[in-house]
Amino acid sequence: MAGAKPQSQARRGVDKFERPTEHSSQPIFYVSVAAVLAGYYAYPHKTNPLYPAIFLSYPVPTSMTSTQTQYGKGPKDLIYVGFYTLVLFAARDFIRHYVSPVLARSWGVHDAYKQTRFSQELYQAVYFASMAAFGLYIMRGTPVWFFNMPGLFVGFPHRTLDAGFKAFYLIQSANWVQQAAVTFLGLEKARKDTAVMVSHHIVTLTAIPLIYNAHMTSFALALIIPHDISDALLAFGKCISYSGPSTLVAFPYFTLFVSSWIYFRHYVGSITFWTLLTKYKPAITTVYGWENEQWKATLLHGLVVSLFGALQIMNAYWLSLILKVVAKAAAGTIPKDERESEDEVEIEKSN
């Protein structure tokens, strides 16, 4: 019985930390989204105050654009972000409580705790894979296609965006608001890297409006899409790990994940950061007419470089955790997430 004590303590520790939201659906999200939609469709007109919550605001008259309709930026965009934050909460709840249980059982995940973690990762996998595909579709029509760094400055500053690009950026903004809320409210069990994740949310929530209002949204494509691709592969890999995969599945997938992480987060991230460090300040000095007010360019450049640099440091920290897993995998151990708490490791061993 002495050997069972740590397992029991681990289980009690995990159960104590979990919140009710981990185990029950939250109808408030569905009701809120339905109320906004009903409120708009009761009077479906642009003058309806709920219109900017559902549809993009600030269209530029077509006579002023050479191709498709462009959209400007303004405070109504915050309403759009707020509504789609609710939509993402509803989507998260639906996947976790109505899709994940069925899929988890079909994958052989029967332990209640693993099912909870599986549901969290499944939502992440679906969201990031969908947005990565959407982002690549948007990028395909821009000079930045597949991280062409000189293309970042074509048409700079980007004061207007086409509908797809603007929707992509604002929905991503809604996602980071949601992710921050999940973390700060403790809606999911903390991992070992929670402090770094909180810092990541702070940096991201600072960078999103800064990049948007500095009209440098092409940089967002080069930053967000690589993160989405690697995050999708990470989350899907976690789903696989909870199903107890064989080495024939675990090692090839882990190799794919590590390779993609290094390429997208570090190679692409480094060349994006270097471009920002060396090319961006001259560009903003010229286009904003700051030749005689260099302090403005210096301040904006310093802020953006600092934020991007902080993200690179955090990515380096996560890479160090990944390399620890690589070292264990090289020794023949099936890859496990280094971010898991000791309690979770005990539960992994007990199943």
Side-chain angles (χ1 to χ4, degrees), residues 286-348:
T286 302
V287 300
Y288 289 123
W290 286 346
E291 290 87 348
N292 298 321
E293 299 177 274
Q294 285 291 320
W295 67 270
K296 292 183 179 180
T298 300
L299 177 61
L300 180 56
H301 184 247
L303 285 172
V304 175
V305 166
S306 297
L307 292 170
F308 274 65
L311 291 176
Q312 288 301 100
I313 292 171
M314 285 181 258
N315 284 335
Y317 165 76
W318 282 312
L319 178 62
S320 71
L321 299 183
I322 292 170
L323 293 179
K324 288 183 181 179
V325 181
V326 171
K328 292 180 180 179
T333 303
I334 291 181
K336 298 290 184 181
D337 192 343
E338 281 290 317
R339 301 171 302 156
E340 303 286 10
S341 68
E342 295 301 323
D343 287 343
E344 290 174 292
V345 171
E346 290 297 324
I347 289 175
E348 286 287 323

Side-chain angles (χ1 to χ4, degrees), residues 4-5 27 31 36 43 55 74 96 100 115 124 131 164 174 222 238 335:
K5 186 177 180 181
V31 172
V36 172
Y43 176 59
F55 303 102
R96 291 196 55 223
S100 177
Q115 286 187 353
Q124 297 287 333
M131 293 305 291
K238 288 292 294 177

Side-chain angles (χ1 to χ4, degrees), residues 64-87:
M64 297 175 60
T65 60
S66 58
T67 54
Q68 56 187 316
T69 301
Q70 297 285 300
Y71 289 83
K73 306 165 187 177
K76 289 182 181 179
D77 294 339
L78 294 174
I79 303 174
Y80 188 92
V81 170
F83 174 67
Y84 282 94
T85 299
L86 289 175
V87 171

Side-chain angles (χ1 to χ4, degrees), residues 132-189:
F134 184 26
L136 288 171
Y137 171 77
I138 298 299
M139 181 186 274
R140 185 68 180 85
T142 73
V144 192
W145 171 238
F146 217 77
F147 314 109
N148 173 41
M149 294 298 119
L152 291 169
F153 298 101
V154 175
F156 181 81
H158 307 110
R159 299 180 187 277
T160 62
L161 305 169
D162 63 43
F165 196 163
K166 181 170 182 175
F168 172 80
Y169 195 91
L170 295 183
I171 291 172
Q172 290 282 21
S173 301
N175 170 66
W176 285 111
V177 171
Q178 181 213 43
Q179 292 290 331
V182 168
T183 299
F184 294 141
L185 296 176
L187 300 182
E188 293 181 0
K189 186 183 184 301

